[in-house]
């Protein structure tokens, strides 16, 4: 049963929320980052880019992490960040031009992560785990929640709808035309109802934030070892999450772009593909798969439709049924010689939220020889694979919403 609890968020006052919160740091180019830092003194980017104050952009490692902590303290000293007086759940709604997402920001348990109540669908890189664990240890806070999903629940939804009828604590739009709303839940009865409702849910699934959750759990283990009075109730035993009903997730596919044909000519490559696929040349007609086990390919100036020959492919488990895994087992590894799809330099991934034209433009540019597209993976497929104890290939899903940093901050040290 899932352990979900309210917490005392550190956050900006109502009048500064739009100025303080930011997109995830990794999204910004250096030019965009410099512009934000130059014209917005309230931006959270000043906290996580602390060298800007000293006109130094190349501060790295533990020195940078300690400066992040110092900038964070300055924001608190200047009352840009204030801590709520009472533990709360936070309803956060993000409305884009095409979707509305509405869920609850809460503290979730590292124990649930270790006990497989919170399940993951991606592998994590040890180097990134250790790097972010060191960041958390030095800064003492987390400003970007892990995205978790759960089966739609009428009890939780009724509480959310109750608060949405009142004025939100935050209400602002951003330049990408997204509307952000936030309500605080502080009534004891509602806090207890939500806590019990999540307590009746068997499994939460990580949709986005695998490294953040793994690093938080690693830090909790290390802090527990160093604490002779450890009880399991300390704040470091929890990490901040945004819990969203399954029906509200938006899942997109990733396209694959390959730099060479592993020594094959285009015609030789097509002959190799014929073993596992029925191939249709679509010429200049843009093709996007409408069924599972169908793939689009752009090669040598033409689009192709690839239909898996199911009679010659071995569906051995739930992972083998996944289109990204099928492409790896039938094409990327045996024909194109890509063994390690996580680290291979000859493959590049790009999320597909458009009409698929990127398959053509990137190959026509000369940077790649061939590209592949597929249908998006469903939440049912993800859960089926996770529940079987299997891990999906990297870059199988691009999941939204992408969350803003510093709307709420979770302090654990």
């Amino acid at each position: 049963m899932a352990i979900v609890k309210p917490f005392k968020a550190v956050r900006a006052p109502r009048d500064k929320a739009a100025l303080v919160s930011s997109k995830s740091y990794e999204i910004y180019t250096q030019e965009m980052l410099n512009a934000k830092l130059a014209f917005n003194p309230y931006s959270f980017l000043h906290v996580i880019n602390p060298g800007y104050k000293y006109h130094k952009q190349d501060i790295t490692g533990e020195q940078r992490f300690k400066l992040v902590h110092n900038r964070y303290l300055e924001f608190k000293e200047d009352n840009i960040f204030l801590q709520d007086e009472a533990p709360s759940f936070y309803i956060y709604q993000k409305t884009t031009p095409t979707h509305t997402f509405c869920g609850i920001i809460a503290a979730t348990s590292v124990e649930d992560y270790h006990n497989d109540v919170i399940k993951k669908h991606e592998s994590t890189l040890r180097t990134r785990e250790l790097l972010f664990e060191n960041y958390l240890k030095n800064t003492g806070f987390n400003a970007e929640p892990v995205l978790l999903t759960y089966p739609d629940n009428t009890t939780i939804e009724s509480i959310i709808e109750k608060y949405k009828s009142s004025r939100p604590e935050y209400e602002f739009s951003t330049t990408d035309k997204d509307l952000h709303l936030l309500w605080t839940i502080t009534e004891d009865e509602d806090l207890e109802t939500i806590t019990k409702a999540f307590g009746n849910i068997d499994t939460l699934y990580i949709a986005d934030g695998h490294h953040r959750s793994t690093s938080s759990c690693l830090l909790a283990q290390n802090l527990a070892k160093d604490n002779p009075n450890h009880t399991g109730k300390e704040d470091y035993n929890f990490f901040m999450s945004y819990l969203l009903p399954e029906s509200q997730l938006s899942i997109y596919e990733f396209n694959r772009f390959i730099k060479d044909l592993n020594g094959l000519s285009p015609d030789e490559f097509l002959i190799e593909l014929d073993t596992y696929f029925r191939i249709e040349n679509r010429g200049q007609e843009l093709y996007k798969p409408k069924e599972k086990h169908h793939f689009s390919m752009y090669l040598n100036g033409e689009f192709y439709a690839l239909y898996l020959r199911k009679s010659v492919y071995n569906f051995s488990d739930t992972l083998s049924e996944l289109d990204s895994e099928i492409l790896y087992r039938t094409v990327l590894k045996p024909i194109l010689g890509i063994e390690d799809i996580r680290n291979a330099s000859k493959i590049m991934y790009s999320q597909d939220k458009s009409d698929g034209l990127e398959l053509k433009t990137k190959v026509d540019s000369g940077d790649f020889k061939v590209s592949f597209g597929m249908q998006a993976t469903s939440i049912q497929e993800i859960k089926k694979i996770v529940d079987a104890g299997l891990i999906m290939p990297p870059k199988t899903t691009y999941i939204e919403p992408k969350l803003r940093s510093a709307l709420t901050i979770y302090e654990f040290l």
Side-chain angles (χ1 to χ4, degrees), residues 106-212:
T108 49
S109 169
V110 299
E111 180 183 351
D112 282 351
Y113 183 90
H114 293 305
N115 293 338
D116 225 20
V117 174
I118 295 176
K119 293 185 177 181
K120 63 181 181 178
H121 68 261
E122 287 184 3
S123 296
T124 51
L125 300 175
R126 186 63 173 173
T127 52
R128 287 193 64 188
E129 291 175 15
L130 294 174
L131 179 66
F132 195 63
E133 188 241 354
N134 192 25
Y135 169 85
L136 294 173
K137 183 178 180 180
N138 279 278
T139 61
F141 69 86
N142 190 3
E144 189 173 335
V146 173
L147 177 60
L148 300 179
T149 189
Y150 62 93
D152 289 46
N153 184 287
T154 55
T155 300
I156 298 171
E157 185 61 28
S158 66
I159 299 292
I160 290 175
E161 289 303 316
K162 168 187 170 181
Y163 280 83
K164 283 175 63 176
S165 65
S166 61
R167 182 191 179 191
E169 175 71 10
Y170 294 161
E171 182 177 12
F172 63 90
S173 295
T174 45
T175 54
D176 50 8
K177 299 182 180 180
D178 291 344
L179 173 64
H180 304 271
L181 305 174
L182 185 128
W183 295 262
T184 59
I185 302 177
T186 57
E187 294 182 19
D188 290 340
E189 183 178 350
D190 293 333
L191 295 176
E192 184 177 355
T193 299
I194 292 172
T195 301
K196 286 183 176 179
F198 279 112
N200 291 325
I201 294 175
D202 292 330
T203 307
L204 303 174
Y205 296 86
I206 300 176
D208 193 19
H210 285 80
H211 282 93
R212 273 171 278 147

Side-chain angles (χ1 to χ4, degrees), residues 22-40 43-46 48-49 52 57 64:
S22 69
K23 293 181 181 179
S24 179
Y25 179 74
E26 297 175 351
I27 291 177
Y28 295 96
T29 65
Q30 192 60 53
E31 183 179 7
M32 293 166 59
L33 183 61
N34 289 339
K36 293 284 186 181
L37 293 169
F39 293 104
N40 182 3
S43 175
F44 180 68
L45 294 170
H46 282 281
I48 53 177
N49 195 70
Y52 182 81
Q57 301 281 9
R64 174 175 172 261

